[in-house]
PDB file of all heavy atoms in Angstrom:
ATOM      1  N   SER A  11      34.997  -4.400 -40.597  1.00 51.00           N
ATOM      2  CA  SER A  11      35.343  -5.186 -39.424  1.00 51.00           C
ATOM      3  C   SER A  11      34.944  -4.429 -38.169  1.00 51.00           C
ATOM      4  O   SER A  11      34.848  -3.213 -38.163  1.00 51.00           O
ATOM      5  CB  SER A  11      36.836  -5.516 -39.410  1.00 51.00           C
ATOM      6  OG  SER A  11      37.585  -4.337 -39.378  1.00 51.00           O
ATOM      7  N   HIS A  12      34.694  -5.174 -37.135  1.00 54.00           N
ATOM      8  CA  HIS A  12      34.284  -4.618 -35.857  1.00 54.00           C
ATOM      9  C   HIS A  12      35.515  -4.448 -34.980  1.00 54.00           C
ATOM     10  O   HIS A  12      36.584  -4.961 -35.279  1.00 54.00           O
ATOM     11  CB  HIS A  12      33.264  -5.554 -35.200  1.00 54.00           C
ATOM     12  CG  HIS A  12      31.989  -5.656 -35.989  1.00 54.00           C
ATOM     13  ND1 HIS A  12      30.971  -4.761 -35.859  1.00 54.00           N
ATOM     14  CD2 HIS A  12      31.587  -6.532 -36.945  1.00 54.00           C
ATOM     15  CE1 HIS A  12      29.982  -5.075 -36.675  1.00 54.00           C
ATOM     16  NE2 HIS A  12      30.335  -6.148 -37.348  1.00 54.00           N
ATOM     17  N   PRO A  13      35.358  -3.748 -33.864  1.00 59.00           N
ATOM     18  CA  PRO A  13      36.505  -3.572 -32.960  1.00 59.00           C
ATOM     19  C   PRO A  13      37.147  -4.900 -32.547  1.00 59.00           C
ATOM     20  O   PRO A  13      38.325  -4.950 -32.247  1.00 59.00           O
ATOM     21  CB  PRO A  13      35.910  -2.848 -31.750  1.00 59.00           C
ATOM     22  CG  PRO A  13      34.692  -2.172 -32.266  1.00 59.00           C
ATOM     23  CD  PRO A  13      34.191  -3.026 -33.394  1.00 59.00           C
ATOM     24  N   THR A  14      36.364  -5.971 -32.564  1.00 60.00           N
ATOM     25  CA  THR A  14      36.915  -7.275 -32.197  1.00 60.00           C
ATOM     26  C   THR A  14      37.706  -7.889 -33.339  1.00 60.00           C
ATOM     27  O   THR A  14      38.361  -8.906 -33.171  1.00 60.00           O
ATOM     28  CB  THR A  14      35.790  -8.250 -31.812  1.00 60.00           C
ATOM     29  OG1 THR A  14      34.915  -8.404 -32.929  1.00 60.00           O
ATOM     30  CG2 THR A  14      35.030  -7.768 -30.603  1.00 60.00           C
ATOM     31  N   GLY A  15      37.615  -7.294 -34.518  1.00 65.00           N
ATOM     32  CA  GLY A  15      38.308  -7.830 -35.679  1.00 65.00           C
ATOM     33  C   GLY A  15      37.474  -8.827 -36.465  1.00 65.00           C
ATOM     34  O   GLY A  15      37.935  -9.385 -37.442  1.00 65.00           O
ATOM     35  N   LEU A  16      36.231  -9.058 -36.048  1.00 68.00           N
ATOM     36  CA  LEU A  16      35.365 -10.003 -36.737  1.00 68.00           C
ATOM     37  C   LEU A  16      34.587  -9.313 -37.837  1.00 68.00           C
ATOM     38  O   LEU A  16      34.211  -8.148 -37.717  1.00 68.00           O
ATOM     39  CB  LEU A  16      34.375 -10.646 -35.755  1.00 68.00           C
ATOM     40  CG  LEU A  16      34.968 -11.504 -34.642  1.00 68.00           C
ATOM     41  CD1 LEU A  16      33.863 -11.937 -33.690  1.00 68.00           C
ATOM     42  CD2 LEU A  16      35.680 -12.704 -35.222  1.00 68.00           C
ATOM     43  N   SER A  17      34.324 -10.007 -38.906  1.00 87.00           N
ATOM     44  CA  SER A  17      33.498  -9.464 -39.978  1.00 87.00           C
ATOM     45  C   SER A  17      32.035  -9.525 -39.564  1.00 87.00           C
ATOM     46  O   SER A  17      31.687 -10.151 -38.558  1.00 87.00           O
ATOM     47  CB  SER A  17      33.703 -10.277 -41.256  1.00 87.00           C
ATOM     48  OG  SER A  17      33.171 -11.578 -41.087  1.00 87.00           O
ATOM     49  N   ASP A  18      31.165  -8.891 -40.355  1.00 90.00           N
ATOM     50  CA  ASP A  18      29.732  -8.930 -40.065  1.00 90.00           C
ATOM     51  C   ASP A  18      29.227 -10.367 -40.061  1.00 90.00           C
ATOM     52  O   ASP A  18      28.447 -10.756 -39.191  1.00 90.00           O
ATOM     53  CB  ASP A  18      28.954  -8.116 -41.098  1.00 90.00           C
ATOM     54  CG  ASP A  18      29.158  -6.617 -40.945  1.00 90.00           C
ATOM     55  OD1 ASP A  18      29.513  -6.180 -39.830  1.00 90.00           O
ATOM     56  OD2 ASP A  18      28.964  -5.894 -41.934  1.00 90.00           O
ATOM     57  N   ALA A  19      29.662 -11.174 -41.014  1.00 89.00           N
ATOM     58  CA  ALA A  19      29.211 -12.564 -41.090  1.00 89.00           C
ATOM     59  C   ALA A  19      29.672 -13.351 -39.864  1.00 89.00           C
ATOM     60  O   ALA A  19      28.914 -14.143 -39.302  1.00 89.00           O
ATOM     61  CB  ALA A  19      29.726 -13.227 -42.362  1.00 89.00           C
ATOM     62  N   ALA A  20      30.901 -13.125 -39.450  1.00 90.00           N
ATOM     63  CA  ALA A  20      31.415 -13.830 -38.271  1.00 90.00           C
ATOM     64  C   ALA A  20      30.672 -13.387 -37.017  1.00 90.00           C
ATOM     65  O   ALA A  20      30.388 -14.201 -36.135  1.00 90.00           O
ATOM     66  CB  ALA A  20      32.908 -13.593 -38.119  1.00 90.00           C
ATOM     67  N   THR A  21      30.347 -12.109 -36.941  1.00 91.00           N
ATOM     68  CA  THR A  21      29.597 -11.601 -35.792  1.00 91.00           C
ATOM     69  C   THR A  21      28.212 -12.221 -35.745  1.00 91.00           C
ATOM     70  O   THR A  21      27.742 -12.635 -34.687  1.00 91.00           O
ATOM     71  CB  THR A  21      29.491 -10.064 -35.847  1.00 91.00           C
ATOM     72  OG1 THR A  21      30.815  -9.523 -35.851  1.00 91.00           O
ATOM     73  CG2 THR A  21      28.715  -9.510 -34.670  1.00 91.00           C
ATOM     74  N   ARG A  22      27.548 -12.290 -36.906  1.00 92.00           N
ATOM     75  CA  ARG A  22      26.221 -12.920 -36.962  1.00 92.00           C
ATOM     76  C   ARG A  22      26.310 -14.393 -36.581  1.00 92.00           C
ATOM     77  O   ARG A  22      25.466 -14.910 -35.845  1.00 92.00           O
ATOM     78  CB  ARG A  22      25.600 -12.754 -38.349  1.00 92.00           C
ATOM     79  CG  ARG A  22      25.079 -11.359 -38.622  1.00 92.00           C
ATOM     80  CD  ARG A  22      24.218 -11.305 -39.882  1.00 92.00           C
ATOM     81  NE  ARG A  22      24.896 -11.816 -41.061  1.00 92.00           N
ATOM     82  CZ  ARG A  22      25.681 -11.106 -41.862  1.00 92.00           C
ATOM     83  NH1 ARG A  22      25.884  -9.827 -41.615  1.00 92.00           N
ATOM     84  NH2 ARG A  22      26.249 -11.649 -42.918  1.00 92.00           N
ATOM     85  N   ALA A  23      27.326 -15.087 -37.078  1.00 93.00           N
ATOM     86  CA  ALA A  23      27.499 -16.506 -36.761  1.00 93.00           C
ATOM     87  C   ALA A  23      27.746 -16.691 -35.265  1.00 93.00           C
ATOM     88  O   ALA A  23      27.181 -17.591 -34.644  1.00 93.00           O
ATOM     89  CB  ALA A  23      28.640 -17.107 -37.570  1.00 93.00           C
ATOM     90  N   ALA A  24      28.582 -15.840 -34.691  1.00 92.00           N
ATOM     91  CA  ALA A  24      28.866 -15.938 -33.258  1.00 92.00           C
ATOM     92  C   ALA A  24      27.608 -15.666 -32.443  1.00 92.00           C
ATOM     93  O   ALA A  24      27.353 -16.335 -31.433  1.00 92.00           O
ATOM     94  CB  ALA A  24      29.977 -14.963 -32.870  1.00 92.00           C
ATOM     95  N   THR A  25      26.800 -14.710 -32.885  1.00 94.00           N
ATOM     96  CA  THR A  25      25.539 -14.409 -32.212  1.00 94.00           C
ATOM     97  C   THR A  25      24.609 -15.611 -32.275  1.00 94.00           C
ATOM     98  O   THR A  25      23.998 -16.000 -31.280  1.00 94.00           O
ATOM     99  CB  THR A  25      24.865 -13.179 -32.840  1.00 94.00           C
ATOM    100  OG1 THR A  25      25.740 -12.059 -32.705  1.00 94.00           O
ATOM    101  CG2 THR A  25      23.527 -12.873 -32.188  1.00 94.00           C
ATOM    102  N   TYR A  26      24.506 -16.210 -33.473  1.00 95.00           N
ATOM    103  CA  TYR A  26      23.647 -17.382 -33.656  1.00 95.00           C
ATOM    104  C   TYR A  26      24.113 -18.530 -32.756  1.00 95.00           C
ATOM    105  O   TYR A  26      23.312 -19.162 -32.082  1.00 95.00           O
ATOM    106  CB  TYR A  26      23.643 -17.824 -35.119  1.00 95.00           C
ATOM    107  CG  TYR A  26      22.909 -19.122 -35.340  1.00 95.00           C
ATOM    108  CD1 TYR A  26      21.518 -19.158 -35.369  1.00 95.00           C
ATOM    109  CD2 TYR A  26      23.596 -20.317 -35.477  1.00 95.00           C
ATOM    110  CE1 TYR A  26      20.838 -20.345 -35.547  1.00 95.00           C
ATOM    111  CE2 TYR A  26      22.923 -21.515 -35.667  1.00 95.00           C
ATOM    112  CZ  TYR A  26      21.543 -21.521 -35.697  1.00 95.00           C
ATOM    113  OH  TYR A  26      20.877 -22.700 -35.860  1.00 95.00           O
ATOM    114  N   VAL A  27      25.402 -18.802 -32.727  1.00 95.00           N
ATOM    115  CA  VAL A  27      25.941 -19.881 -31.897  1.00 95.00           C
ATOM    116  C   VAL A  27      25.655 -19.601 -30.422  1.00 95.00           C
ATOM    117  O   VAL A  27      25.255 -20.502 -29.674  1.00 95.00           O
ATOM    118  CB  VAL A  27      27.453 -20.082 -32.149  1.00 95.00           C
ATOM    119  CG1 VAL A  27      28.067 -21.006 -31.117  1.00 95.00           C
ATOM    120  CG2 VAL A  27      27.685 -20.618 -33.557  1.00 95.00           C
ATOM    121  N   GLY A  28      25.823 -18.360 -30.009  1.00 95.00           N
ATOM    122  CA  GLY A  28      25.527 -17.994 -28.622  1.00 95.00           C
ATOM    123  C   GLY A  28      24.066 -18.220 -28.275  1.00 95.00           C
ATOM    124  O   GLY A  28      23.745 -18.741 -27.205  1.00 95.00           O
ATOM    125  N   GLN A  29      23.164 -17.845 -29.185  1.00 96.00           N
ATOM    126  CA  GLN A  29      21.736 -18.059 -28.961  1.00 96.00           C
ATOM    127  C   GLN A  29      21.407 -19.548 -28.946  1.00 96.00           C
ATOM    128  O   GLN A  29      20.584 -20.006 -28.153  1.00 96.00           O
ATOM    129  CB  GLN A  29      20.913 -17.344 -30.026  1.00 96.00           C
ATOM    130  CG  GLN A  29      20.969 -15.840 -29.905  1.00 96.00           C
ATOM    131  CD  GLN A  29      20.309 -15.131 -31.075  1.00 96.00           C
ATOM    132  OE1 GLN A  29      20.110 -15.708 -32.144  1.00 96.00           O
ATOM    133  NE2 GLN A  29      19.986 -13.865 -30.876  1.00 96.00           N
ATOM    134  N   PHE A  30      22.056 -20.311 -29.822  1.00 96.00           N
ATOM    135  CA  PHE A  30      21.843 -21.745 -29.881  1.00 96.00           C
ATOM    136  C   PHE A  30      22.261 -22.400 -28.568  1.00 96.00           C
ATOM    137  O   PHE A  30      21.524 -23.210 -27.990  1.00 96.00           O
ATOM    138  CB  PHE A  30      22.630 -22.343 -31.052  1.00 96.00           C
ATOM    139  CG  PHE A  30      22.433 -23.815 -31.241  1.00 96.00           C
ATOM    140  CD1 PHE A  30      21.265 -24.299 -31.814  1.00 96.00           C
ATOM    141  CD2 PHE A  30      23.416 -24.710 -30.863  1.00 96.00           C
ATOM    142  CE1 PHE A  30      21.083 -25.663 -31.987  1.00 96.00           C
ATOM    143  CE2 PHE A  30      23.244 -26.070 -31.039  1.00 96.00           C
ATOM    144  CZ  PHE A  30      22.078 -26.553 -31.604  1.00 96.00           C
ATOM    145  N   ILE A  31      23.423 -22.035 -28.066  1.00 96.00           N
ATOM    146  CA  ILE A  31      23.914 -22.582 -26.802  1.00 96.00           C
ATOM    147  C   ILE A  31      22.994 -22.161 -25.655  1.00 96.00           C
ATOM    148  O   ILE A  31      22.695 -22.951 -24.762  1.00 96.00           O
ATOM    149  CB  ILE A  31      25.376 -22.169 -26.551  1.00 96.00           C
ATOM    150  CG1 ILE A  31      26.282 -22.877 -27.559  1.00 96.00           C
ATOM    151  CG2 ILE A  31      25.804 -22.464 -25.116  1.00 96.00           C
ATOM    152  CD1 ILE A  31      27.713 -22.388 -27.577  1.00 96.00           C
ATOM    153  N   GLY A  32      22.519 -20.922 -25.695  1.00 96.00           N
ATOM    154  CA  GLY A  32      21.567 -20.460 -24.688  1.00 96.00           C
ATOM    155  C   GLY A  32      20.283 -21.279 -24.713  1.00 96.00           C
ATOM    156  O   GLY A  32      19.727 -21.613 -23.663  1.00 96.00           O
ATOM    157  N   GLY A  33      19.831 -21.634 -25.910  1.00 96.00           N
ATOM    158  CA  GLY A  33      18.639 -22.475 -26.048  1.00 96.00           C
ATOM    159  C   GLY A  33      18.861 -23.864 -25.472  1.00 96.00           C
ATOM    160  O   GLY A  33      17.966 -24.441 -24.839  1.00 96.00           O
ATOM    161  N   ILE A  34      20.057 -24.412 -25.687  1.00 96.00           N
ATOM    162  CA  ILE A  34      20.386 -25.718 -25.113  1.00 96.00           C
ATOM    163  C   ILE A  34      20.363 -25.643 -23.592  1.00 96.00           C
ATOM    164  O   ILE A  34      19.799 -26.522 -22.924  1.00 96.00           O
ATOM    165  CB  ILE A  34      21.763 -26.202 -25.613  1.00 96.00           C
ATOM    166  CG1 ILE A  34      21.694 -26.540 -27.107  1.00 96.00           C
ATOM    167  CG2 ILE A  34      22.250 -27.405 -24.811  1.00 96.00           C
ATOM    168  CD1 ILE A  34      23.038 -26.812 -27.740  1.00 96.00           C
ATOM    169  N   GLU A  35      20.941 -24.592 -23.042  1.00 96.00           N
ATOM    170  CA  GLU A  35      20.945 -24.427 -21.582  1.00 96.00           C
ATOM    171  C   GLU A  35      19.520 -24.300 -21.044  1.00 96.00           C
ATOM    172  O   GLU A  35      19.177 -24.899 -20.019  1.00 96.00           O
ATOM    173  CB  GLU A  35      21.778 -23.209 -21.191  1.00 96.00           C
ATOM    174  CG  GLU A  35      23.260 -23.396 -21.440  1.00 96.00           C
ATOM    175  CD  GLU A  35      24.063 -22.114 -21.280  1.00 96.00           C
ATOM    176  OE1 GLU A  35      23.456 -21.021 -21.172  1.00 96.00           O
ATOM    177  OE2 GLU A  35      25.299 -22.216 -21.271  1.00 96.00           O
TER     178      GLU A  35
END
Side-chain angles (χ1 to χ4, degrees):
S11 61
H12 295 275
T14 60
L16 296 174
S17 68
D18 289 337
T21 301
R22 285 192 305 273
T25 300
Y26 173 78
V27 169
Q29 291 172 341
F30 183 76
I31 291 170
I34 291 171
E35 291 170 349

